[in-house]
Amino acid sequence: MKILVCNVGSTSLKFKLFDMPSEHVLVQAGIERVGNPDGGLYKFKTETVDYKEERMVIKDYRAGIEIFLNMMLEYHVIGSLDEISAIGFKTVLSKGHLGVHVIDDAVLKGMEDYLVVAPAHNKHYLAAVRTIQEILPETTLVGVFETAFHQTIPEEAYVYSAPYEWYEKYGVRRFGYHGASHSYVAANLNERLGEHYRAVSCHLGGSCSLCAIVDGKSVDTSFGLSLQAGLPQSNRCGDIDPYLIFYMVNSCGKTLEEVEKELGTQSGLLGISGVSGDLRDVLAAADGGNERAKLAVDIFIHDLVKYIGGYAAVMGGIDAVAFTGGIGENSEYVRGRVIEKLAFLGIKLAYEPKKDETVTKLTDEASNVSVFVIPANEELGVARATLKAVSADQ
């Protein structure tokens, strides 16, 4: 069965076509800077094509999707689009649909209802889903919502200390996101640690979240109702005192719209450093003596360590820490600072890290806590969940 996974960003599209259940990748492609009049970068790779790269103007998501589908036919990856049995989307949030669902009108309506909670994400997924519905009206589409993995979180971890009516009447609660990433980390930890363990999964990239995992299940996570909570993000604020909003509006002359925009697009690493939302740029500026850039990095590390320590306490101990995502996988500096601050847990780094397939173990056997670097593979998690959903629907 051929399952296509579509990962939609604010200006990007990523695709992987899997032959399931073997999980063999037939093709992968990425499109950057969708809608940019100056053009974007298109990458396409198969077993016989080693990353064909081309710069072109991709005016919208429909154009990007059509280019990808046509190239699969052009390079004979498939003989017909009818060979695609299902398409899985790494969707974010839909009111009343927190797990994995075949996409129908009710699911799309739920995504529309939560546009105010996840505006940057749901808007683009709605556009991509509706485009594919028009192009492939007979193909089953599945939403693997980012909230799916976090349905095992206990009530005391997801109910806010606001009026309980907010939860009962309006559905205000902690949802959690990055579920595809954290569930993939959990699956890898299950293989290496067995059935029983306590771990913290650190998905660190342009968007960051942590997840406390006990015996392969999510028990707490740093994202909340929205993707604004938790760690400082690239350009989003993360955890703040909610009364900052009222102070800025009532006492500082800001409008509510200005505060919303500044917290959602001009905060985080970008807002603190004044340099960039990309940690690589911020680290470079800090190395060059920029004090605000150094402060941005220090705040990021501080909050990261605070969450890991808090989750260790909630779980009654900790057996492993896993780093994933662009920063988690590639920033030895961030990992090193975090491990240094957690040294009191008895972490002992290996002289030579051990690589098991794509997963790297940074600690030796004498370490009280194992530390892993697990390359993100959210698309595989989506493909597995899509296969399960399609099989159950038949």
Side-chain angles (χ1 to χ4, degrees), residues 200-243:
V200 177
S201 170
C202 307
H203 179 109
L204 309 177
S207 183
C208 303
S209 74
L210 275 69
C211 179
I213 301 172
V214 174
D215 300 341
K217 296 180 180 179
S218 173
V219 296
D220 209 341
T221 188
S222 58
F223 273 144
L225 172 75
S226 75
L227 293 92
Q228 278 283 18
L231 298 175
Q233 312 289 314
S234 171
N235 60 359
R236 303 196 303 267
C237 61
D239 288 341
I240 61 165
D241 180 343
Y243 268 69

Side-chain angles (χ1 to χ4, degrees), residues 269-291:
L269 294 174
L270 171 63
I272 300 165
S273 72
V275 173
S276 171
D278 190 315
L279 184 66
R280 293 168 294 187
D281 298 334
V282 179
L283 283 170
D287 287 342
N290 186 312
E291 290 299 321

